[in-house]
Amino acid sequence: MDHLRYSGLPFEAQRAAFLDIVSSDALVSEALLRARALDLPNWLVVSGALYNSVWNHLTGKPSGYGIKDVDLFYFDDRDLSYEAEDTVIRRAALHFEGLALPVEVRNQARVHLWYPQKFGQPCPRYTSSSESVSHFASKTHAVGVRYGADGQLELVAPFGLDDIFSFRITPNRVMDNQRTHEAKGARAQRNWPEICVVPW
């Protein structure tokens, strides 16, 4: 049960362990450094590349195992056109060329424009990248990291970190995302059998 050694610890202890693990992971640290250099407004590396890297570290799996891509959010409400976001996506593709995994860049100021068509339900108009994270289908996945102005890593974790360190995928019922919660939970269990999925 050594993979659960951080489960149940106080938040500050979990925060220190989390940032230590992700900053020492070759893939994540490179992605964070490149994201800082790209310098998009209100940027945040979020979700799978982070919590999957923690699970890999705690179960002795190699860096990048089970990770499809790196999700990079930014928030820019000055131009909500598809063309403006596409320009950033193309610029980022060149910037991240050579990274071990693809980087998916999305402007969180635009999510409410395309979300209903893709998922069949409305989505609130977010005011920041951090707010967007709090609407993920599973609370466990609601985590983001960026470099602050002081050069230190900043953590966004609206529901804390205990689910990650407890290998527990917990639903976030703020929106009707049951299918996404279940699909991501099943995929995670295939890669990390230690995981339990809390039913919707």
Side-chain angles (χ1 to χ4, degrees):
M1 300 293 280
D2 191 47
H3 65 285
L4 296 176
R5 59 186 175 272
Y6 299 110
S7 175
L9 294 183
F11 174 74
E12 279 307 314
Q14 291 183 333
R15 178 184 177 278
F18 183 90
L19 291 177
D20 183 53
I21 291 169
V22 298
S23 63
S24 60
D25 181 273
L27 169 70
V28 178
S29 61
E30 176 72 10
L32 284 166
L33 286 170
R34 291 204 198 188
R36 177 169 63 175
L38 189 60
D39 197 27
L40 296 174
N42 192 227
W43 69 271
L44 204 57
V45 171
V46 303
S47 206
L50 301 173
Y51 60 80
N52 290 165
S53 294
V54 171
W55 292 338
N56 286 339
H57 174 82
L58 294 173
T59 58
K61 292 182 171 64
S63 173
Y65 172 82
I67 303 174
K68 293 187 296 185
D69 54 27
V70 175
D71 292 302
L72 176 61
F73 284 4
Y74 71 101
F75 186 91
D76 188 350
D77 57 4
R78 294 171 299 180
D79 184 344
L80 296 184
S81 68
Y82 167 81
E83 290 74 19
E85 183 181 35
D86 192 55
T87 298
V88 173
I89 290 170
R90 287 202 308 271
R91 181 160 66 93
L94 291 172
H95 182 78
F96 286 103
E97 202 169 7
L99 196 72
L101 287 173
V103 177
E104 185 168 282
V105 182
R106 291 292 179 269
N107 184 3
Q108 298 308 291
R110 289 193 71 248
V111 175
H112 66 283
L113 298 176
W114 54 258
Y115 191 97
Q117 189 173 4
K118 184 172 182 180
F119 293 104
Q121 61 173 315
C123 170
R125 184 169 184 157
Y126 300 132
T127 58
S128 67
S129 294
S130 300
E131 184 186 4
S132 172
V133 167
S134 70
H135 285 76
F136 285 174
S138 307
K139 292 180 177 180
T140 317
H141 301 157
V143 65
V145 173
R146 65 176 154 233
Y147 278 104
D150 60 358
Q152 300 298 305
L153 286 178
E154 295 178 353
L155 172 70
V156 173
F159 306 108
L161 297 167
D162 199 54
D163 281 332
I164 292 175
F165 284 121
S166 300
F167 284 71
R168 179 178 59 234
I169 298 181
T170 302
N172 180 18
R173 300 184 183 90
V174 68
M175 292 169 68
D176 183 15
N177 278 328
Q178 179 174 356
R179 279 188 304 176
T180 301
H181 169 71
E182 291 171 350
K184 285 181 174 283
R187 181 180 175 275
Q189 283 182 316
R190 288 194 293 272
N191 287 313
W192 299 274
E194 300 86 353
I195 284 173
C196 72
V197 179
V198 178
W200 187 271

